Amino acid sequence: MRTTVILPDELYRQVKERTRADNRTVTSFLEDAIRHELARREASIGPVDVYLAPPSGSRDDRALVDLNDKEAVQELLDEDDFAVQQIRQSQGDRA
C-alpha cells in the first residue's frame, strides 16, 4: 500500500543519513521502525478493548469530515490517537 508521510525536515535528514549508512531504503527503515514501535507498545500495554456503538442515523446524514481536506482528516486521526491513548491509560490504571 502506498501512503504519504509528512516528516519534519531534520528528522527526514536523519532518516536519509541512517538509510545511506545502512545501505537500505527509507521504506524498509520506516517499516522496521513502525513494526518495532507497534511490538513495543503491544508488549508493554497489551491489547486495548474497544467497544463500538451500533451504527445509527440515516443515509442522509452528512459525513463527519471532508475526505478531500487533508488537514481535517489528519486532525480527526490525531483525535482518534488521543482517544486510544486515553483508553489504554484507563485500562492500565485498572491493572
Side-chain angles (χ1 to χ4, degrees), residues 27-74:
T27 297
S28 71
F29 179 85
L30 292 176
E31 284 176 11
D32 287 349
I34 292 168
R35 283 190 180 101
H36 176 77
E37 178 62 15
L38 292 173
R40 185 190 68 80
R41 287 177 180 235
E42 184 68 25
S44 67
I45 297 174
V48 173
D49 293 328
V50 176
Y51 301 97
L52 300 175
S56 62
S58 70
R59 298 184 86 164
D60 297 330
D61 287 343
R62 294 178 50 89
L64 298 175
V65 65
D66 177 2
L67 296 178
N68 293 317
D69 183 348
K70 285 192 314 188
E71 287 79 20
V73 171
Q74 186 60 53

Side-chain angles (χ1 to χ4, degrees), residues 5-43:
V5 177
I6 301 169
L7 300 173
D9 291 344
E10 181 55 33
L11 179 59
Y12 186 70
R13 275 192 285 279
Q14 291 174 353
V15 169
K16 288 295 285 184
E17 287 175 16
R18 175 60 60 92
T19 58
R20 257 192 305 266
D22 295 347
N23 195 30
R24 60 191 297 193
T25 65
V26 170
T27 297
S28 71
F29 179 85
L30 292 176
E31 284 176 11
D32 287 349
I34 292 168
R35 283 190 180 101
H36 176 77
E37 178 62 15
L38 292 173
R40 185 190 68 80
R41 287 177 180 235
E42 184 68 25

